[in-house]
């Protein structure tokens, strides 16, 4: 297979607009802004976001943030719950670090103005699947991400050393002599723009849009992962896409996440005949980890030949349900559903990429000059399956570490920002045909559902490798002039990495389930990562 171009677009430093900053942060979600806020005031920070600053997976998070805040809870409990969910692939040292730093990060959010829900003057705590104790803080009932991001965005906008550029698409990371020196972006005013930075922090989020059924917003097209791969940074564990078990399923409508906390508060899952099926599948029933619940739903849908299952809250206190889940109640009312009485149709959807850019405990990638935090990374916290509500905490902890690490790197080896003589000229497209980008994007997303979904096997993976490999050969070598084409190239890059990793791992573990190798194999795969 022909290698893709190092850069997606042509450029010449002698004929392109430039901007300089001390620290460049790519991504305006919780990880990116937390990193920016950790950089001291004597250093300039430029934060670039693909869409509006409010459009990130962080803003859409419903459940909350996990932290040991109750006297009945212990750090050891949270650590153990995370390790169990991670199915033997977590890094124990990373888990210990994040769990112990979580409470102080939550306290910091409160100090920055986040208004978490309270009970009797204390932070209200709920429980979600996989957690042994109530340790999830939440806000506005089921709109935690919105409230957290409101507060952190206000804090970042008030910082005199932080500049935020919305609607700025990161095309590629710039490298010179094996070091990241910034990024080439598309700016709404300047067009192609070269951003030069002493240190770069990648916090570009996930890639849920590689699937047709996803809880992610449209911006989640894996741009950061693909750019890091092209720049030479290591990625790992790309087979581990977490599927959220309960996504509102109404034919013809947009998909909407139904929070893990709904089951945490006692909701039942029922099949089309009204039967509860989780108690037969796992002793933890509806509170089993997400991968277990998602596979149980998948099997139930196959057995009943019905396109979805149902969440039932009718046995719970209606006042509690409406006060705890006002957002979900509002969405369901739009379809004529009363969540206190009616069953909610749900099915699994792609939710969170557990794999990503490899980082150490400080957020350092394998590419000098590049740090990374949040969903774009593989830190070792989640292992093979993310424990509910651990992601926002990971973004905060690693964002803070990246901000400190980038600052220390600048102080240790400051350098004057200058424009190196970089140039990229894409080869001419000699095919002469026009691509239907939208059609190819839809075809890719449908293929990923069929062949790289909740249940996989060698035959389907080989078919996926063949088709995606064919598309890559005639798409990745082209130069597109706008975001839809670049997003397609990034989705194809990420999809190929995911399929190759799933083919390589011949066992079942966490979110990765192969029907032809249905058992976890610790002899050959214990603590073994899949590099990309």
């Amino acid at each position: 297979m022909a290698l893709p171009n190092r850069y997606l677009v042509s450029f010449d430093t002698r004929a392109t607009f430039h901007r300089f900053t001390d620290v460049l942060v790519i991504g305006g979600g919780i990880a990116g802004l937390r990193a920016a806020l950790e950089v001291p005031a004597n250093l300039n920070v430029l934060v670039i976001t693909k869409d509006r600053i409010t459009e990130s997976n962080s803003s859409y998070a419903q459940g909350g943030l996990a932290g040991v805040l109750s006297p009945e809870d212990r750090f050891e409990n949270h650590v153990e719950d995370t390790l169990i969910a991670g199915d033997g692939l977590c890094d124990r040292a990373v888990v210990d670090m994040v769990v112990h730093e979580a409470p102080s990060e939550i306290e910091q959010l409160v100090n920055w103005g986040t208004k978490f829900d309270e009970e009797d003057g204390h932070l209200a705590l709920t429980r979600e699947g996989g957690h042994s104790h109530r340790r999830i803080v939440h806000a506005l009932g089921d709109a935690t991400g919105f409230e957290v991001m409101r507060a952190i965005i206000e804090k970042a906008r008030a910082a005199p050393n932080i500049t935020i550029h919305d609607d700025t698409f990161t095309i590629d990371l710039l490298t010179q002599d094996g070091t990241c020196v910034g990024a080439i972006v598309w700016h709404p005013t300047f067009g192609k723009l070269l951003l030069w930075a002493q240190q770069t922090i990648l916090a570009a989020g996930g890639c849920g849009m590689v699937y047709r059924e996803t809880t992610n917003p449209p911006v989640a097209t894996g741009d950061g992962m693909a750019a890091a791969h092209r720049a030479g940074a290591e990625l790992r564990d790309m087979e581990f896409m977490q599927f959220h078990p309960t996504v509102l399923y109404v034919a013809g409508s947009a998909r909407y996440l139904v929070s893990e906390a709904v089951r945490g508060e006692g909701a039942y899952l029922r099949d089309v005949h009204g039967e509860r099926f989780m108690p037969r599948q796992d002793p933890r029933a509806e509170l089993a980890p997400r991968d277990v619940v998602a596979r149980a739903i998948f099997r139930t849908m196959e057995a009943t030949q019905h396109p979805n299952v149902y969440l039932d809250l009718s046995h719970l206190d209606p006042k509690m349900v409406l006060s705890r889940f006002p957002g979900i109640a509002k969405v369901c009312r739009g379809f004529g559903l009363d969540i206190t009485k009616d069953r909610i149709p749900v099915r699994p959807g792609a939710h969170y990429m557990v794999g990503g850019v490899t980082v150490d405990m400080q957020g350092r990638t394998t590419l000098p000059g590049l740090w990374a935090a949040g969903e774009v990374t593989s830190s070792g916290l989640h292992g093979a399956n993310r424990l509910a509500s651990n992601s926002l905490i990971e973004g905060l902890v690693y964002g803070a570490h990246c901000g400190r690490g980038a600052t220390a790197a600048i102080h240790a080896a400051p350098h004057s920002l200058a424009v190196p003589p970089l140039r990229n000229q894409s080869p001419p497209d000699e095919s002469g045909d026009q691509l239907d980008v939208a059609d190819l994007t839809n075809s890719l997303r449908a293929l990923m559902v069929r062949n790289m979904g909740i249940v996989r096997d060698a035959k389907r993976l080989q078919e996926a490798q063949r088709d995606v490999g064919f598309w890559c050969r005639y798409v990745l070598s082209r130069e597109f002039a706008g975001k839809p084409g670049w997003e397609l190239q990034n989705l194809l890059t990420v999809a190929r990495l995911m399929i190759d990793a799933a083919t390589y791992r011949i066992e079942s573990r966490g979110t990765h389930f192969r029907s032809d190798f249905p058992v976890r194999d610790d002899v050959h795969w214990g603590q073994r990562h899949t590099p990309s």
Side-chain angles (χ1 to χ4, degrees):
M1 179 183 296
L3 292 175
N5 297 335
R6 163 62 186 91
Y7 293 101
L8 294 184
V9 296
S10 301
F11 66 90
D12 191 328
T13 55
R14 298 169 299 180
T16 310
F17 288 109
H18 305 271
R19 171 155 183 176
F20 301 89
T21 186
D22 293 314
V23 179
L24 172 63
V25 178
I26 299 172
I30 195 168
L33 293 185
R34 181 66 186 89
L37 287 167
E38 193 66 20
V39 177
N42 65 325
L43 295 177
N44 292 320
V45 183
L46 176 60
V47 178
I48 57 173
T49 71
K50 180 177 177 178
D51 203 300
R52 300 183 307 278
I53 191 69
T54 54
E55 282 296 299
S56 67
N57 275 348
S58 300
S59 293
Y60 287 90
Q62 291 181 354
L65 299 89
V68 177
L69 301 168
S70 165
E72 291 80 29
D73 201 2
R74 296 288 185 274
F75 287 127
E76 294 78 9
N77 301 140
H78 192 178
V79 168
E80 187 63 21
D81 292 344
T82 301
L83 294 175
I84 291 171
D87 209 8
L89 207 61
C90 296
D91 183 324
R92 177 65 183 256
V94 170
V95 175
D96 282 336
M97 179 187 76
V98 174
V99 166
H100 280 81
E101 294 184 20
S104 61
E105 288 295 334
I106 293 172
E107 182 181 358
Q108 180 76 280
L109 289 178
V110 173
N111 293 336
W112 286 345
T114 306
K115 295 179 174 59
F116 289 113
D117 295 339
E118 296 185 351
E119 290 178 357
D120 302 324
H122 301 284
L123 290 178
L125 301 176
T126 191
R127 185 181 173 192
E128 296 182 352
H131 288 274
S132 59
H133 292 73
R134 285 183 171 266
R135 65 168 68 100
I136 316 300
V137 296
H138 48 84
L140 305 177
D142 55 1
T144 307
F146 177 85
E147 171 59 17
V148 168
M149 291 308 299
R150 177 202 62 77
I152 205 169
I153 288 169
E154 286 183 10
K155 182 71 176 177
R157 281 176 169 160
N161 67 319
I162 297 176
T163 301
I164 300 172
H165 281 183
D166 291 326
D167 300 314
T168 302
F169 186 94
T170 300
I171 301 172
D172 266 307
L173 297 171
L174 290 168
T175 53
Q176 183 186 29
D177 300 328
T179 298
C180 182
V181 292
I184 180 169
V185 305
W186 181 266
H187 188 276
T189 301
F190 300 104
K192 290 178 191 175
L193 179 63
L194 300 176
L195 302 178
W196 306 98
Q198 295 198 62
Q199 298 290 315
T200 300
I201 299 173
L202 184 65
C207 58
M209 289 299 290
V210 77
Y211 287 91
R212 186 185 62 220
E213 304 282 349
T214 181
T215 64
N216 290 188
V219 295
T221 52
D223 308 315
M225 296 174 188
H229 177 67
R230 287 191 293 270
E234 179 187 89
L235 279 70
R236 69 179 186 186
D237 298 342
M238 295 295 288
E239 65 270 38
F240 296 116
M241 168 61 77
Q242 184 180 75
F243 291 83
H244 198 288
T246 53
V247 179
L248 179 65
Y249 179 74
V250 178
S253 74
R255 303 298 181 248
Y256 189 85
L257 174 66
V258 180
S259 171
E260 187 95 10
V262 173
R263 286 181 285 117
E265 293 291 353
Y268 295 150
L269 280 165
R270 300 187 185 276
D271 65 19
V272 66
H273 306 298
E275 296 294 324
R276 274 186 78 190
F277 55 88
M278 279 310 303
R280 299 193 303 271
Q281 302 280 349
D282 191 279
R284 294 163 291 186
E286 281 82 4
L287 289 178
R290 289 177 176 176
D291 62 312
V292 175
V293 178
R295 283 194 294 274
I297 292 174
F298 178 84
R299 287 191 291 265
T300 301
M301 289 163 51
E302 282 199 328
T304 59
Q305 288 296 290
H306 196 67
N308 57 271
V309 296
Y310 297 87
L311 269 172
D312 181 9
L313 294 79
S314 62
H315 57 287
L316 301 176
D317 178 10
K319 289 183 179 179
M320 183 279 291
V321 168
L322 293 176
S323 64
R324 182 70 180 81
F325 306 111
I328 296 170
K330 180 180 179 181
V331 169
C332 288
R333 275 199 302 273
F335 298 104
L337 295 171
D338 179 348
I339 66 172
T340 67
K341 300 176 182 178
D342 300 320
R343 294 173 183 170
I344 307 170
V346 294
R347 62 183 291 166
H351 182 57
Y352 189 92
M353 170 48 78
V354 177
V357 181
T358 305
V359 293
D360 66 12
M361 292 180 68
Q362 303 309 312
R364 187 182 292 105
T365 74
T366 61
L367 178 64
L370 181 66
W371 309 75
E375 190 176 353
V376 76
T377 70
S378 171
S379 69
L381 173 65
H382 307 307
N385 180 36
R386 178 178 68 93
L387 181 65
S389 290
N390 268 357
S391 54
L392 293 182
I393 283 298
E394 181 194 34
L396 288 168
V397 170
Y398 268 86
H401 281 246
C402 284
R404 289 194 290 270
T407 299
I410 291 172
H411 289 159
H415 61 269
S416 59
L417 291 169
V419 178
L422 293 181
R423 182 173 180 268
N424 179 66
Q425 184 64 49
S426 299
D429 177 15
E430 299 176 350
S431 63
D433 60 329
Q434 295 293 318
L435 282 181
D436 188 332
V437 171
D439 181 62
L440 189 47
T441 301
N442 290 334
S443 297
L444 171 64
R445 297 179 70 203
L447 175 144
M448 291 296 285
V449 172
R450 291 193 310 271
N451 296 60
M452 264 290 290
I454 295 171
V455 176
R456 305 157 181 177
D457 61 48
K459 183 174 182 293
R460 280 182 282 191
L461 291 172
Q462 289 167 2
E463 291 174 355
Q465 281 184 315
R466 182 195 64 217
D467 291 347
V468 172
F470 173 64
W471 293 334
C472 285
R473 282 194 293 275
Y474 71 84
V475 175
L476 297 188
S477 60
R478 296 182 181 228
E479 180 169 348
F480 292 93
K483 185 164 69 172
W486 301 328
E487 288 181 333
L488 171 61
Q489 290 176 312
N490 290 332
L491 287 170
L492 282 168
T493 299
V494 169
R496 183 168 61 180
L497 294 175
M498 293 173 66
I499 295 164
D500 288 348
T503 303
Y504 180 70
R505 184 175 288 275
I506 50 174
E507 66 156 355
S508 290
R509 183 184 296 269
T511 64
H512 172 65
F513 185 83
R514 288 189 54 162
S515 58
D516 48 352
F517 295 96
V519 179
R520 173 173 144 178
D521 180 2
D522 284 331
V523 174
H524 298 97
W525 294 95
Q527 287 298 312
R528 183 173 169 185
H529 295 281
T530 309
S532 297

